[in-house]
Amino acid sequence: MPEKPYDHNRIELKWCERWRDGSLFRAEDHSTKPKYYLLEMLPYPSGTLHVGHIRNYTIGDTLARYKWMRGYNVLHPMGWDAFGLPAENAAIANQRHPREWTLENIAYMKRQHVRYGFSYDWTREISTCEPEYYRWNQWFFLKMLERGLAYRAKALVNWCPACATVLANEQVVNGCCWRHEDTPVEQRALEQWFLRITAYAEELLRDLDKLEGGWPERVLTMQRNWIGRSEGAEIDFRLVGSGKPIRVFTTRLDTIYGATCVILAPEHPLAEELVPPQEQARLKAMIDERARRDPGDLVKEGLFTGHFAVNPYNGEAIPVWIGNFVLMGYGTGAIMAVPAHDERDFEFCTRYGIPVRPVIRPVDGKLPDPAAMQGAFTEDGICENSGEFSGLPSAEARRRMTEKAERECFGKAAVTYRLRDWGISRQRYWGTPIPVIHCAECGIVPVPEHELPVVLPLNVQITGRGRSPLETVPEFVNAPCPRCRRPARRETDTMDTFIDSSWYFYRYCDPHNRQAPFDPQKIAYWFPIDQYIGGVEHAILHLIYARFFTKVMRDLGLVKNDEPAARLFTQGMVIKDGAKMSKSKGNVVSADETAERYGADTARLFVLFAAPPEKDVDWQDAGVEGMYRFLGRVYRFVTRNVDRLGQAASGEETEADRRVRRRLHQTIRKVTEDFETRWHFNTSIAAIMELVNELHASEAELSPPVLAEVLEKLVLLMGPFAPYVAEEMWEELGRAGPVFRQSWPSYDPELAREELAEVVLQVNGRVRSRLLVPFGVPREELERQALADDKIRSYIAGKAVAKVIVVPDKLVNVVLKG
RNA sequence: GCCCGGGUGGCGGAAGCGGCAGACGCAACGGACUUAAAAUCCGUUGGGCCGAAAGGCCUGUGCGGGUUCGAAUCCCGCCCCGGGCACCA
């Protein structure tokens, strides 16, 4: 039969049509098969997919298809992170309603997903902007409110002038907004809703150990740093005169005999009281300057209050300062400055002429000379000039000093975290309404559960300026107080959209439940997520919130697992012309055009082949052509050989039969190993290409039964990578699909084994010759043969052999004297 | 500044463990097919040198040292690139 041309559009559209409804990929909620929950981070429906998105989903889809073939009951869902600011911005720019804009994007992007053949169970699709979904955001909020995990407080919060809303700490990057990288974040004092994530700080930190091995070390480290646990002590310094305590936090209590001043954050409650009238203006200036928070280059500045406070250990009265580098939000907002042993204190104190007093010496050295010090000595050592603690090593001193503080009631051991509570109020429209009502009589009253969802009204004016858009909708704002029924006002802020993505993966297990966010039994079956896949940019934000939600849900009795995802994989980006693909850079390669021109299979193959999935890849059109050529080559080979397959074997098995079959079994072994270990699909695909090259070279000599075996297994191997052309070839071979429901081919180690070992012969470590021998030749025999080799002998001639290194089946190295 | 990654041909990358560096693909070049081109197929391709050729020699994995019979791989010291954290007391 003549070969058929590789018409990717014909093939792909044919199978795409048959797979369209997604019922093929449906996961069973109960099954005798082992379950596998595979999840890719849900996308924001920004408009259209580019090949960068394609890469993320291709990695997941390849794995999903492999797991199906290994006999798993695979849950592979997809949904939409549909609330968020871009919809509002689009609304302002094009006079479109955010909902309309969002739904249109979702419809378009879903078509693109389907076009690429991704194996999602679309019956479980969710969209976070639908009341059926966000009502459970509100429900969780009420549960947290009941438990004191949600609270309202006036606090200094991060304000992005470009977004015209508040940001969580996690959303501030280098002092700027995470969405507006050159817009500095301002500090404003506002009444806000917070979730008490700090209540779980210790557990969030501790449980990172459980994720060891399953999550990238890098992500675990980032989370550990973000939580930022430090152990130390809180100590009271009493003001001379009033006796009022100033509580400081320190991790270096062992250095306290070297404290030469106390420094308060400008926002510290005592600051205004202590600063003399003529300096109040400077204090205000300091606070304002920091509110504008120019990242990095803040010069350490201070001002002396004129007051003194007493070091409880040595009774010394030391000056109290205000310092712009002391943070109100960390520890107690006040520090003791020990310039001899802390770099920042050193810089501050030398600037203002405050004495430097060393009290720690290196274990094997002398106490530093303060006059000669160029910087602080910050390591642990031995205490000196520290009263009863002199001579103790730092760690021991800290322990004993803490005991003394507790005994004499002027301080205690303390642990502080860098992690802050999660500010979730947003002064925006397109988000989940916070379900509370402000009543003049009753105060803040939660909306009763049976009244959920509080539906986001659709008739709203969005200007992007001023206050929360919902304030302009009287039908929404005016509501009776659930408690006293008198007229009251609804909360008009909406929730941070990171709430939506903190629990969506539970909803996939039971997406149509109207009574509850989900049925706990279904969760018990599917959880934890076996493999979560997403970008490393969410290492802190989304992934710490998701872990927090899981712990809260566990404490509510809804789930049994402590962690949402057993394994996390962070894939690299797709780079074009040296930059991440983005509309603003104008370097976007459209998923549609690529599918049209080369086909989804080619695009999928290329993004997998170009680099291992954890690394960034460069998009190069020329490279894509290569993948297209490869698929065409395979397809044509199969179609022109189909007729031969049924023929009987004509006599003996040929040398080519053995060689190609050996290569086949080696390839299955290689690809299987890649799936089971590192996911280096670039090497899997290279191995398949080598098999195909071997097939081409031996095409005429292959006997029909071997050819049939090789083609069948080749198609199965290609199934996870290039599902369309694999399905078409499977049909050409006369087999019934779908490919991803066939069993993954197994390999026979005997057939995969090479017949002869190639042993490299070296002289002084340089390859000079080689030997083909059966496997398992003993060392002595290898050595004998090596020394008998003509080439080797010519190198040895006239010289003495010092020794011979033999690595069986691999190498003989003859080392010469001199 | 601190903490992680990473530097291999013209390019993307390969070489789980210290044992043939450069698999596979791209690009380039040569050839076949074609009136011609495209497509396809076959071949060459790290650099340098010797040779008419077969072939041979030297050199080579960011730089400098070290360990070893043998180093892209291990150790020490640097340089460069990417990412994270950055007054967290």
Side-chain angles (χ1 to χ4, degrees):
Chain A
M1 182 182 276
E3 65 187 28
K4 294 186 187 172
Y6 174 53
D7 179 349
H8 64 274
N9 274 322
R10 178 186 68 78
I11 294 169
E12 296 193 354
L13 296 176
K14 165 181 161 188
W15 292 105
C16 182
E17 197 49 51
R18 299 194 194 175
W19 294 344
R20 178 172 295 280
D21 72 351
S23 60
L24 262 181
F25 308 115
R26 201 170 287 174
E28 300 162 46
D29 277 328
H30 302 285
S31 168
T32 52
K33 294 177 184 174
K35 66 95 184 178
Y36 194 82
Y37 187 176
L38 173 65
L39 182 68
E40 293 128 54
M41 288 182 186
L42 96 170
Y44 179 77
S46 56
T48 63
L49 297 178
H50 57 65
V51 293
H53 301 112
I54 296 304
R55 182 174 192 215
N56 303 359
Y57 307 127
T58 297
I59 294 166
D61 193 61
T62 299
L63 204 64
R65 287 173 181 272
Y66 172 75
K67 287 291 175 182
W68 280 114
M69 293 178 82
R70 293 311 309 242
Y72 286 88
N73 177 28
V74 178
L75 172 55
H76 188 215
M78 182 45 60
W80 310 99
D81 187 16
F83 272 140
L85 211 43
E88 279 181 70
N89 293 337
I92 297 161
N94 325 319
Q95 299 301 308
R96 303 282 312 276
H97 194 278
R99 180 175 172 84
E100 221 179 285
W101 182 86
T102 302
L103 295 188
E104 228 166 68
N105 287 349
I106 289 174
Y108 192 83
M109 288 169 76
K110 184 174 175 182
R111 268 206 306 284
Q112 293 181 301
H113 273 107
V114 170
R115 174 65 187 82
Y116 270 82
F118 297 132
S119 60
Y120 300 120
D121 180 350
W122 287 110
T123 65
R124 294 169 186 266
E125 179 181 6
I126 57 166
S127 180
T128 60
C129 68
E130 299 300 339
E132 301 83 71
Y133 184 84
Y134 68 69
R135 69 172 290 177
W136 302 111
N137 287 347
Q138 296 172 337
W139 187 83
F140 284 122
F141 178 87
L142 293 178
K143 292 289 171 202
M144 291 198 204
L145 197 58
E146 265 171 38
R147 305 201 140 216
L149 289 172
Y151 65 95
R152 193 168 164 82
K154 183 158 189 164
L156 275 182
V157 291
N158 309 298
W159 176 269
C160 172
C163 297
T165 188
V166 161
L167 302 174
N169 288 323
E170 289 79 1
Q171 291 160 348
V172 179
V173 178
N174 289 328
C176 294
C177 171
W178 69 304
R179 302 192 49 86
H180 301 95
E181 284 169 32
D182 36 20
T183 306
V185 164
E186 299 169 7
Q187 302 292 299
R188 292 196 180 179
L190 289 174
E191 281 268 316
Q192 297 286 302
W193 285 101
F194 289 89
L195 298 187
R196 211 179 293 280
I197 190 170
T198 54
Y200 288 87
E202 188 59 39
E203 203 194 338
L204 286 167
L205 180 70
R206 205 185 52 224
D207 283 356
L208 289 172
D209 295 345
K210 295 186 189 167
L211 302 175
E212 207 80 49
W215 283 36
E217 200 49 51
R218 183 159 78 116
V219 173
L220 297 178
T221 305
M222 282 164 74
Q223 291 220 355
R224 282 192 187 104
N225 291 341
W226 188 260
I227 296 167
R229 180 183 201 273
S230 30
E231 254 174 64
E234 288 179 5
I235 300 295
D236 289 333
F237 282 66
R238 287 188 184 277
L239 280 168
V240 173
S242 72
K244 243 187 211 174
I246 297 176
R247 176 152 282 214
V248 304
F249 173 75
T250 178
T251 56
R252 290 300 304 275
L253 188 55
D254 55 311
T255 66
I256 196 165
Y257 283 80
T260 51
C261 67
V262 166
I263 312 176
L264 306 181
E267 302 87 357
H268 194 282
L270 280 174
E272 201 180 329
E273 185 185 326
L274 296 182
V275 169
Q278 70 273 17
E279 298 278 32
Q280 290 287 341
R282 276 189 62 200
L283 178 65
K284 284 228 156 50
M286 231 183 244
I287 294 172
D288 286 350
E289 190 192 332
R290 213 157 60 169
R292 271 180 272 109
R293 180 141 64 151
D294 213 352
D297 49 31
L298 190 72
V299 182
K300 282 190 182 48
E301 269 183 46
L303 74 95
F304 177 45
T305 61
H307 293 264
F308 290 81
V310 177
N311 180 338
Y313 286 87
N314 60 7
E316 185 185 12
I318 54 178
V320 177
W321 285 68
I322 308 292
N324 66 345
F325 69 102
V326 178
L327 304 171
M328 189 57 225
Y330 184 77
T332 59
I335 64 165
M336 62 175 199
V338 185
H341 303 295
D342 182 283
E343 292 294 352
R344 298 151 301 181
D345 298 348
F346 186 86
E347 193 189 328
F348 183 85
C349 291
T350 49
R351 176 156 186 214
Y352 287 101
I354 299 164
V356 176
R357 188 196 302 157
V359 292
I360 304 285
R361 63 166 176 86
V363 177
D364 52 359
K366 290 202 307 257
L367 200 63
D369 170 10
M373 282 177 94
Q374 295 299 304
F377 171 69
T378 58
E379 279 153 55
D380 273 8
I382 307 294
C383 292
E384 295 290 347
N385 300 326
S386 298
E388 60 194 281
F389 306 99
S390 297
L392 292 177
S394 291
E396 175 71 9
R398 284 194 287 268
R399 209 158 31 241
R400 300 241 205 126
M401 287 170 151
T402 307
E403 278 165 27
K404 181 183 169 88
E406 285 174 350
R407 203 164 50 239
E408 298 180 15
C409 297
F410 60 77
K412 59 169 189 171
V415 174
T416 62
Y417 300 89
R418 211 187 81 118
L419 184 72
R420 299 297 140 70
D421 279 338
W422 177 11
I424 59 156
S425 298
R426 295 291 179 274
Q427 293 68 46
R428 306 299 316 191
Y429 164 67
W430 193 232
T432 305
I434 295 173
V436 297
I437 286 173
H438 299 268
C439 171
E441 299 294 322
C442 312
I444 291 169
V445 182
V447 172
E449 251 181 59
H450 68 265
E451 286 181 22
L452 296 183
V454 175
V455 176
L456 189 67
L458 295 178
N459 57 330
V460 63
Q461 284 301 309
I462 298 161
T463 60
R465 280 182 293 279
R467 306 184 51 86
S468 300
L470 286 177
E471 286 183 10
T472 67
V473 187
E475 314 85 279
F476 178 81
V477 174
N478 298 317
C481 167
R483 201 164 289 162
C484 69
R485 309 314 300 172
R486 271 188 278 246
R489 290 175 57 82
R490 262 186 214 288
E491 170 72 54
T492 53
D493 284 353
T494 53
M495 294 184 198
D496 183 0
T497 56
F498 275 99
I499 300 272
D500 308 342
S501 54
S502 293
W503 68 280
Y504 72 101
F505 32 83
Y506 290 102
R507 185 70 178 171
Y508 282 139
C509 298
D510 196 7
H512 309 296
N513 195 322
R514 302 188 71 84
Q515 270 69 54
F518 45 74
D519 171 0
Q521 292 209 322
K522 292 184 177 168
I523 302 302
Y525 173 71
W526 285 112
F527 266 75
I529 298 163
D530 293 277
Q531 184 66 59
Y532 197 15
I533 301 177
V536 73
E537 64 272 20
H538 291 110
I540 300 173
L541 282 158
H542 161 59
L543 289 170
I544 211 159
Y545 296 144
R547 296 181 59 224
F548 163 60
F549 254 69
T550 288
K551 291 177 190 305
V552 171
M553 289 159 77
R554 179 204 57 202
D555 290 347
L556 288 168
L558 296 169
V559 308
K560 293 207 168 67
N561 47 298
D562 293 323
E563 287 289 334
R567 297 180 60 82
L568 171 71
F569 186 86
T570 51
Q571 91 283 345
M573 296 181 299
V574 175
I575 304 289
K576 177 93 190 332
D577 310 326
K580 182 181 177 170
M581 267 186 207
S582 72
K583 275 184 201 157
S584 57
K585 301 239 170 54
N587 60 352
V588 171
V589 178
S590 142
D592 287 340
E593 281 170 38
T594 307
E596 171 69 26
R597 185 145 163 228
Y598 301 106
D601 281 340
T602 294
R604 293 171 57 125
L605 210 58
F606 175 72
V607 294
L608 293 179
F609 182 73
E614 71 275 11
K615 286 186 64 178
D616 292 348
V617 306
D618 258 301
W619 183 270
Q620 288 174 353
D621 290 328
V624 181
E625 302 262 6
M627 296 305 106
Y628 187 77
R629 278 202 285 268
F630 168 69
L631 290 178
R633 211 160 119 88
V634 178
Y635 180 75
R636 289 189 303 271
F637 185 93
V638 169
T639 53
R640 73 171 171 263
N641 281 289
V642 159
D643 286 352
R644 277 171 66 195
L645 301 181
Q647 294 165 15
S650 50
E652 294 288 285
E653 193 175 65
T654 64
E655 166 58 28
D657 285 339
R658 276 196 301 279
R659 193 178 58 239
V660 170
R661 198 168 47 200
R662 185 187 317 129
R663 173 71 73 176
L664 169 71
H665 285 261
Q666 289 172 344
T667 306
I668 298 172
R669 180 173 62 198
K670 169 69 182 154
V671 176
T672 306
E673 275 172 8
D674 279 335
F675 268 112
E676 295 297 334
T677 57
R678 328 179 275 172
W679 298 2
H680 280 198
F681 303 129
N682 54 331
T683 60
S684 312
I685 294 167
I688 295 173
M689 287 172 165
E690 287 184 78
L691 171 63
V692 171
N693 290 344
E694 188 89 58
L695 262 178
H696 262 259
S698 316
E699 186 167 0
E701 299 113 87
L702 288 172
S703 60
V706 171
L707 191 60
E709 183 198 350
V710 174
L711 291 190
E712 175 195 324
K713 291 182 175 165
L714 169 65
V715 168
L716 294 175
L717 284 179
M718 289 178 63
F721 305 107
Y724 284 122
V725 72
E727 199 69 47
E728 179 72 11
M729 292 190 294
W730 194 244
E731 194 179 65
E732 292 280 359
L733 291 175
R735 310 292 297 260
V739 169
F740 78 98
R741 292 289 195 157
Q742 311 301 314
S743 288
W744 184 250
S746 56
Y747 64 91
D748 181 338
E750 276 305 300
L751 293 177
R753 227 187 55 216
E754 290 289 347
E755 280 165 9
L756 294 174
E758 190 180 47
V759 174
V760 170
L761 304 185
Q762 297 181 329
V763 177
N764 286 337
R766 314 191 138 198
V767 181
R768 298 302 185 185
S769 183
R770 35 197 93 217
L771 219 49
L772 276 176
V773 296
F775 281 86
V777 173
R779 310 179 91 91
E780 306 73 44
E781 174 61 15
L782 278 179
E783 177 172 343
R784 196 192 59 74
Q785 287 196 34
L787 292 172
D789 183 272
D790 285 347
K791 283 245 23 218
I792 298 303
R793 283 173 59 188
S794 75
Y795 279 94
I796 298 175
K799 298 188 184 114
V801 174
K803 63 171 157 176
V804 179
I805 313 273
V806 181
V807 183
D809 301 338
K810 277 214 155 150
L811 158 147
V812 179
N813 186 13
V814 180
V815 185
L816 301 179
K817 270 194 189 121

